[in-house]
Amino acid sequence: MICSILQPNLMAKTGFLPTLMFLLLFSTFRAILSWNSPNITTDESTLLALKSHISHDPHNLLATNWSTCTSVCNWIGVTCGSRHHRVTALDLSSMDLTGTIPSQLGNLSFLVSLNIRHNSFHGSLPSELTNLHRLRYLNFGNNSFGGEIPSWFGYLAELESLLLYMNDFTGVIPSTFDNLSKLETLSMHNNNLKGHLSSGIFDNLSKLQRLDLSENHISGRIPKTLFNCKELNFLSLYSNLLDGSIPTEIGNLTQLQILYLHNNNLKEIGNLTMLETLALGYNNLSGSVPRSIFNISSLQQILLGGSNLVAYLSSNMFDYLPRLYLLDLSGCQLSGRIPIIWMNTLYLDYNHLEGTVPLEISNLTSLQEFSIGDNNLSGKIPSIIGSVISLEFLVLSKNNLTGHIPSSICNLSSLKLLFLSENSLNGEISKCIGNMASISHIALENNNFHGNIPKTFGKGCTLQSYRINYNQIDGSLPRSLGNCKGLKLLDVGNNYLNDIFPDWLGNLDQLQVLILRSNRFFGQMNTSEITVSFTRLRVIDISHNNFSGYLPMNFFKSLHAIKEGYEKKDQPEYMTDVLAGGTWNYAFDLSFTTKGLETKFQKLLTIWTAIDFSNNQFVGEIPETLGELHSLIVLNLSQNCLTGSIPLSLGDLSGLESLDLSSNQLHGRIPTELNKLGFLEMLNLSHNHLEGPIPQGKQFDTFTNDSYLGNLGLCGLPLSKGCDNDAETPTKLDRHDDDDEIDWKFSILMGYGCGLVLGFVGKLLEDK
């Protein structure tokens, strides 16, 4: 068309025609070339392939936004370069996505940054990702990728940051990693890596600044070549299986500021000079704490807790550490007195320190965490401690302290954690404790406190755990505890509390552990008026009280946390709270009757579940609904007045390890369904009216006579009394008159046993 407009002689004179022909041919060639080469359309189809591999998008972030109706460069998480108009960055972090990585992702050839951390991607990684030759930042952290770490990571030559932490990777670290000469950050902590660290891995990593391989299963010695990485300023290898000594070559790392080597099997400390953080706790270090440590003037944190080092503490040890603000020497066989050091955090637990809590503590105006539990301290808690207004954590438990809790402690408006357990403290519990502005955890157990529990828990109550067991507290449980909406653990066991069942606690939807054992609680359990009804409760112990009436069926139905699949986690966690000072366990040293013995748990897992209603006056039949609590581990209904037969549904308690129904008035046969309980280690059905053959095989082959004593109608192994195999029911054996009399007397005793036992328990409580 253009040609028809222009004059022929003009085209000839100017040479325009050849030029136009060249431009048309060039445009056509470029269009064909562009059609066959990767472009933004390729990137779009690649991302749509990724979208198709995502099986769960709970927030609909990709479902609604990643659409061909809009430009791919405007999609959420997508960044395009201005020069080539191609996808250069993909950030899908923290979107709660579930899915796998398709091989097509390797087509994003201009990609520089790929970040999908904090999701639930799983499966293996496709080798096509090696096509991402421009990639500098790769973060797959906190997902569920598995298998061995691909060796082809070593061919991404431009990588500066490789983060694969908190996955399920196995095997060894590939030797090809030594090709990553531009790598600055390598983080693979919290996986299942094993084997030795090859010395060749670090030959060419001259630019490496941060290395984190902690919480794996890496063994062997620390290779000396690691200390050729002169730019290294952060090194974390804690919680592995490393042994040997820390090489003296560590002194070559003049930029090293943070060193985490704790919880290994290391035996010696090497040359350390410029550190700011030193963490060597929980190793096999021996001898004295090296004096050289206290000459590293740059040190800000010393964490040697849990090692076998020995030291006699004196204040002048710290004269050359002007920047020190955290000292952890817990469990280091320390002796002497508590040093007064100007710092923020002082952990000296589990040692042999003597003397009193020093009055000079009032001079430490910046002190936030003061933990000196499990020592040999004596005397009183000084009232001057109330002037350390910055204090957040105060741990004085397991000492020999006496006297009252000073009222000045109520001045500590920033206090979050107060542990005073296992001392000889007395008096009443201060009314302000529990209603302090920031308090989260209170442990006062195993002392001599008396009086009532203060009724001053306000509407802004921040309590998460409250423990006053093994004291002499009386009165009722204050309903103001219902204001503590975040309460997770309540232990008031072994006191003199006299009250009905606190069903109002069911409105605390965070409550996980409730212990009322060995008090004077009485009456029936009525949960009809509560709205939440103990949905998160995992452990309840109301044994050794005077509860009566039928077992509460509605209560058992509400225990959703003990039902199979509710909040079930692949990696069980301890009941902890993350506070400013780190992770604190609030469910420590709890005692429960399990497998016939009272056991103290140093820590309590969130998956540990127990119901103990023993030693009360409950009557009626055992509800079938108990069989729905599939995650239950301990069930103890012994020493009550229960009647009827053992429900067949108890065979559905697949996680049960301990079952005690002894000393009741149960009758009928032992259900063969109990043979399905593959984890059952303790069974006590003694002193009931059970009859018929004892089931045989599986777990029943492990139980002894003690499990069945006092059931005169039972027969079969392990009892010496055989069963009549020719009949459906055991044949009644001829007995002498003396045996009849014994059986008659036993029946009478079982009929009146509940009253006799309860009268005896009541007498004990009066004497207590």
Side-chain angles (χ1 to χ4, degrees):
M1 181 177 179
I2 297 176
C3 296
S4 62
I5 297 175
L6 295 174
Q7 295 294 328
N9 59 344
L10 180 61
M11 290 191 291
K13 290 181 180 179
T14 59
F16 181 76
L17 183 58
T19 303
L20 181 61
M21 292 295 292
F22 171 78
L23 291 174
L24 289 173
L25 286 172
F26 178 78
S27 298
T28 303
F29 174 76
R30 192 172 74 166
I32 295 173
L33 185 65
S34 178
W35 182 65
N36 289 314
S37 301
N39 52 32
I40 192 63
T41 304
T42 305
D43 293 351
E44 181 183 77
S45 61
T46 296
L47 294 179
L48 290 176
L50 173 61
K51 178 182 176 180
S52 69
H53 279 70
I54 293 175
S55 58
H56 188 50
D57 180 8
H59 309 297
N60 290 321
L61 295 174
L62 306 188
T64 57
N65 184 266
W66 281 23
S67 168
T68 55
C69 297
T70 58
S71 169
V72 65
C73 296
N74 293 327
W75 291 1
I76 188 170
V78 176
T79 301
C80 293
S82 57
R83 181 180 175 186
H84 298 286
H85 198 61
R86 296 288 304 279
V87 174
T88 57
L90 179 62
D91 186 354
L92 304 180
S93 59
S94 302
M95 291 186 177
D96 297 324
L97 302 173
T98 301
T100 58
I101 301 297
S103 59
Q104 293 94 321
L105 198 65
N107 294 331
L108 297 178
S109 54
F110 277 73
L111 201 64
V112 174
S113 176
L114 176 57
N115 185 359
I116 60 171
R117 66 186 178 96
H118 300 305
N119 284 291
S120 297
F121 285 98
H122 56 275
S124 58
L125 298 175
S127 59
E128 286 80 1
L129 295 185
T130 53
N131 297 330
L132 305 179
H133 59 276
R134 289 182 171 88
L135 205 60
R136 294 201 297 266
Y137 179 88
L138 176 62
N139 192 340
F140 285 170
N142 198 7
N143 280 281
S144 299
F145 293 113
E148 295 189 354
I149 297 210
S151 60
W152 49 256
F153 273 126
Y155 304 118
L156 299 175
E158 298 298 317
L159 267 185
E160 297 174 359
S161 296
L162 176 58
L163 301 102
L164 305 176
Y165 59 89
M166 297 179 70
N167 279 283
D168 297 315
F169 288 116
T170 59
V172 300
I173 300 175
S175 59
T176 55
F177 274 37
D178 68 343
N179 296 327
L180 303 177
S181 58
K182 296 183 179 181
L183 198 64
E184 298 177 359
T185 299
L186 177 60
S187 179
M188 294 190 288
H189 64 84
N190 289 84
N191 279 283
N192 294 303
L193 303 178
K194 60 182 180 180
H196 294 187
L197 288 176
S198 170
S199 59
I201 293 176
F202 305 102
D203 283 343
N204 297 317
L205 303 186
S206 59
K207 294 187 177 181
L208 193 63
Q209 298 177 17
R210 295 178 62 87
L211 176 63
D212 190 348
L213 304 178
S214 56
E215 300 194 66
N216 281 286
H217 307 289
I218 300 171
S219 57
R221 294 175 177 267
I222 301 175
K224 293 182 180 180
T225 53
L226 172 61
F227 304 113
N228 294 329
C229 304
K230 300 294 181 63
E231 300 295 319
L232 207 60
N233 59 57
F234 178 96
L235 175 58
S236 181
L237 302 175
Y238 73 86
S239 294
N240 278 288
L241 303 172
L242 298 170
D243 55 24
S245 60
I246 302 171
T248 56
E249 285 82 359
I250 196 172
N252 298 336
L253 303 180
T254 57
Q255 304 297 317
L256 190 62
Q257 297 178 346
I258 297 175
L259 176 62
Y260 292 131
L261 297 178
H262 53 288
N263 200 19
N264 279 285
N265 296 312
L266 300 170
K267 297 178 178 64
E268 297 179 19
I269 300 176
N271 183 28
L272 306 167
T273 55
M274 300 297 293
L275 286 179
E276 294 182 0
T277 296
L278 172 64
L280 298 175
Y282 301 96
N283 279 287
N284 288 327
L285 304 173
S286 59
S288 301
V289 177
R291 296 289 301 184
S292 59
I293 289 177
F294 301 99
N295 293 325
I296 306 175
S297 59
S298 57
L299 270 177
Q300 300 177 25
Q301 302 182 76
I302 299 177
L303 299 100
L304 301 180
S307 61
N308 295 316
L309 298 174
V310 181
Y312 181 87
L313 284 187
S314 60
S315 297
N316 61 5
M317 291 175 64
F318 307 93
D319 289 346
Y320 301 103
L321 300 175
R323 302 176 63 189
L324 188 67
Y325 70 86
L326 189 157
L327 176 64
D328 182 1
L329 296 177
S330 56
C332 281
Q333 304 183 51
L334 303 179
S335 58
R337 293 177 177 268
I338 299 173
I340 299 302
I341 318 163
W342 189 272
M343 64 176 60
N344 295 78
T345 304
L346 181 61
Y347 298 136
L348 300 175
D349 312 81
Y350 304 102
N351 282 294
H352 308 294
L353 299 174
E354 299 177 340
T356 60
V357 179
L359 296 176
E360 292 84 354
I361 191 174
S362 61
N363 298 328
L364 305 180
T365 55
S366 62
L367 186 63
Q368 295 179 352
E369 301 169 35
F370 186 47
S371 187
I372 53 173
D374 212 319
N375 278 284
N376 298 316
L377 302 176
S378 57
K380 298 182 178 181
I381 301 174
S383 59
I384 199 70
I385 202 167
S387 63
V388 189
I389 57 175
S390 58
L391 207 57
E392 296 182 5
F393 306 132
L394 177 60
V395 180
L396 304 177
S397 52
K398 296 184 180 181
N399 279 288
N400 301 310
L401 301 174
T402 58
H404 294 42
I405 299 176
S407 58
S408 64
I409 211 165
C410 298
N411 298 332
L412 303 177
S413 58
S414 299
L415 197 65
K416 295 182 174 67
L417 184 147
L418 177 64
F419 287 173
L420 304 178
S421 56
E422 295 192 48
N423 281 287
S424 297
L425 300 170
N426 54 41
E428 296 188 0
I429 300 174
S430 300
K431 291 184 178 180
C432 72
I433 294 179
N435 196 32
M436 300 172 72
S438 302
I439 199 77
S440 296
H441 302 281
I442 297 175
L444 306 177
E445 70 268 22
N446 282 283
N447 280 287
N448 298 311
F449 295 116
H450 62 266
N452 296 343
I453 301 175
K455 298 179 173 60
T456 53
F457 298 94
K459 291 186 177 180
C461 175
T462 56
L463 266 182
Q464 294 186 40
S465 68
Y466 188 59
R467 305 168 50 147
I468 58 169
N469 49 304
Y470 286 99
N471 279 286
Q472 301 168 30
I473 306 297
D474 54 25
S476 60
L477 203 62
R479 293 185 70 91
S480 61
L481 269 171
N483 292 322
C484 304
K485 300 301 183 182
L487 192 65
K488 298 177 182 178
L489 184 152
L490 177 62
D491 187 354
V492 297
N494 297 88
N495 280 287
Y496 301 128
L497 293 170
N498 189 356
D499 200 353
I500 61 174
F501 180 74
D503 55 359
W504 44 270
L505 287 174
N507 289 317
L508 301 180
D509 62 357
Q510 298 297 316
L511 190 63
Q512 299 181 39
V513 179
L514 175 60
I515 303 175
L516 308 178
R517 65 180 297 177
S518 297
N519 277 283
R520 296 172 178 171
F521 287 96
F522 62 91
Q524 301 184 19
M525 291 180 63
N526 181 10
T527 60
S528 60
E529 298 180 0
I530 56 180
T531 56
V532 178
S533 189
F534 300 99
T535 53
R536 292 184 183 267
L537 198 64
R538 303 173 187 276
V539 178
I540 177 169
D541 186 350
I542 61 172
S543 62
H544 297 274
N545 279 288
N546 294 315
F547 290 113
S548 59
Y550 295 106
L551 289 174
M553 185 181 303
N554 290 334
F555 174 83
F556 295 133
K557 286 182 178 180
S558 71
L559 300 178
H560 298 300
I562 310 182
K563 292 182 179 180
E564 188 174 38
Y566 185 84
E567 292 187 349
K568 195 170 184 179
K569 296 183 178 179
D570 295 331
Q571 298 180 340
E573 299 176 353
Y574 288 105
M575 293 182 179
T576 56
D577 183 26
V578 179
L579 300 173
T583 301
W584 290 77
N585 187 291
Y586 60 83
F588 60 93
D589 290 347
L590 294 176
S591 295
F592 301 101
T593 301
T594 174
K595 301 175 185 177
L597 299 171
E598 183 164 332
T599 305
K600 179 178 284 190
F601 289 76
Q602 189 174 12
K603 295 180 179 180
L604 202 64
L605 283 167
T606 54
I607 62 170
W608 201 82
T609 57
I611 294 176
D612 192 344
F613 280 29
S614 63
N615 286 273
N616 281 285
Q617 302 179 48
F618 290 110
V619 299
E621 298 186 355
I622 300 174
E624 289 277 351
T625 188
L626 276 172
E628 299 175 6
L629 305 178
H630 303 298
S631 298
L632 192 61
I633 294 175
V634 175
L635 177 59
N636 190 348
L637 303 177
S638 65
Q639 300 286 339
N640 280 288
C641 306
L642 301 174
T643 57
S645 58
I646 300 174
L648 306 183
S649 64
L650 294 189
D652 296 330
L653 301 179
S654 56
L656 202 64
E657 298 178 10
S658 177
L659 175 61
D660 192 346
L661 304 178
S662 62
S663 299
N664 281 288
Q665 299 180 38
L666 302 174
H667 58 76
R669 296 192 175 199
I670 301 174
T672 56
E673 283 78 4
L674 297 186
N675 233 332
K676 296 188 297 183
L677 305 180
F679 294 102
L680 195 64
E681 297 180 20
M682 197 286 292
L683 175 68
N684 192 351
L685 304 177
S686 63
H687 302 296
N688 280 286
H689 301 309
L690 300 172
E691 58 186 9
I694 296 172
Q696 301 299 308
K698 297 184 180 179
Q699 297 303 105
F700 276 91
D701 290 345
T702 66
F703 304 133
T704 63
N705 292 15
D706 294 342
S707 296
Y708 312 106
L709 291 176
N711 292 279
L712 301 183
L714 288 177
C715 61
L717 294 175
L719 302 178
S720 58
K721 178 181 177 181
C723 297
D724 185 355
N725 294 329
D726 298 329
E728 285 285 334
T729 58
T731 303
K732 291 186 178 180
L733 301 177
D734 293 332
R735 292 193 295 261
H736 298 295
D737 292 341
D738 289 344
D739 293 334
D740 290 337
E741 183 178 356
I742 291 173
D743 190 25
W744 173 79
K745 289 180 178 179
F746 179 75
S747 299
I748 293 293
L749 180 60
M750 288 303 296
Y752 291 97
C754 299
L756 290 173
V757 170
L758 291 167
F760 180 64
V761 171
K763 176 62 177 170
L764 284 178
L765 289 172
E766 290 177 5
D767 295 341
K768 183 179 173 184

